[in-house]
C-alpha cells in the first residue's frame, strides 16, 4: 500500500513512461490517471477500450446493455418462430 504522496508520484512517473505497461490496481482514480487503454478479458475474449477506468466502466456497461437487448430480441424471435411453426402445423392438418 502506498501513501498519497507515493501514489501521486507514481502516477506522474507512469504517465511520462514512454513504453507500454500492465497496471493492476483497485484504485479507479489511479487507473483513470495512468491508463490510456483498458484490456478486459471476458468469456475467454480480450476486449480493448480506450480511456481510463471510468471510460471503460461506461463503455462496458453500454456493451452489456446492447448484448442484453440482442439476447431479448433473439428470444422474442424464437418465440415468434415457434408460434409460426405451430400455426403451420394446424394449417396443414386442416
Amino acid at each position: 500500500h502506498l501513501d498519497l504522496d507515493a501514489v501521486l508520484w507514481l502516477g506522474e512517473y507512469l504517465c511520462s513512461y514512454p513504453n507500454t505497461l500492465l497496471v493492476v490496481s483497485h484504485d479507479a482514480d489511479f487507473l483513470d490517471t495512468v491508463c490510456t487503454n483498458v484490456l478486459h478479458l471476458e468469456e475467454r475474449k480480450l476486449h480493448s477500450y480506450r480511456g481510463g477506468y471510468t471510460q471503460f466502466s461506461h463503455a462496458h456497461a453500454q456493451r452489456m446493455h446492447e448484448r442484453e437487448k440482442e439476447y431479448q430480441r433473439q428470444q422474442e424471435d424464437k418465440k415468434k418462430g415457434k408460434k409460426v411453426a405451430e400455426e403451420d402445423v394446424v394449417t396443414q392438418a386442416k
Side-chain angles (χ1 to χ4, degrees), residues 2 9-10 22 24 50 62 65 71 80:
L2 301 174
W9 175 87
L10 182 59
L22 174 66
V24 178
R50 298 225 13 105
Q62 178 65 30
H65 178 72
Y71 174 78
K80 290 177 184 175

Side-chain angles (χ1 to χ4, degrees), residues 55-71:
Q55 291 89 349
F56 154 73
S57 182
H58 292 300
H60 182 259
Q62 178 65 30
R63 185 171 163 272
M64 291 296 99
H65 178 72
E66 293 299 322
R67 286 183 66 192
E68 179 63 26
K69 282 177 31 181
E70 178 63 18
Y71 174 78

Side-chain angles (χ1 to χ4, degrees), residues 4 8 20 32 35 51 53-54 68 76-77 82:
L4 181 58
L8 294 174
T20 301
D32 277 338
C35 294
Y53 181 80
T54 301
E68 179 63 26
E76 289 298 317
D77 288 348
K82 185 174 182 181

Side-chain angles (χ1 to χ4, degrees), residues 9-93:
W9 175 87
L10 182 59
E12 280 185 41
Y13 177 78
L14 294 179
C15 284
S16 65
Y17 188 74
N19 298 312
T20 301
L21 295 167
L22 174 66
V23 178
V24 178
S25 176
H26 295 284
D27 185 342
D29 290 332
F30 180 74
L31 292 172
D32 277 338
T33 299
V34 301
C35 294
T36 58
N37 295 71
V38 173
L39 294 176
H40 183 236
L41 181 63
E42 181 176 45
E43 296 177 359
R44 293 189 272 173
K45 294 181 182 174
L46 197 59
H47 302 277
S48 179
Y49 296 87
R50 298 225 13 105
Y53 181 80
T54 301
Q55 291 89 349
F56 154 73
S57 182
H58 292 300
H60 182 259
Q62 178 65 30
R63 185 171 163 272
M64 291 296 99
H65 178 72
E66 293 299 322
R67 286 183 66 192
E68 179 63 26
K69 282 177 31 181
E70 178 63 18
Y71 174 78
Q72 293 300 329
R73 187 191 63 73
Q74 288 174 356
Q75 295 305 308
E76 289 298 317
D77 288 348
K78 283 183 183 179
K79 286 179 186 177
K80 290 177 184 175
K82 185 174 182 181
K83 287 180 183 175
V84 169
E86 290 170 358
E87 290 171 2
D88 287 345
V89 171
V90 171
T91 304
Q92 291 174 1

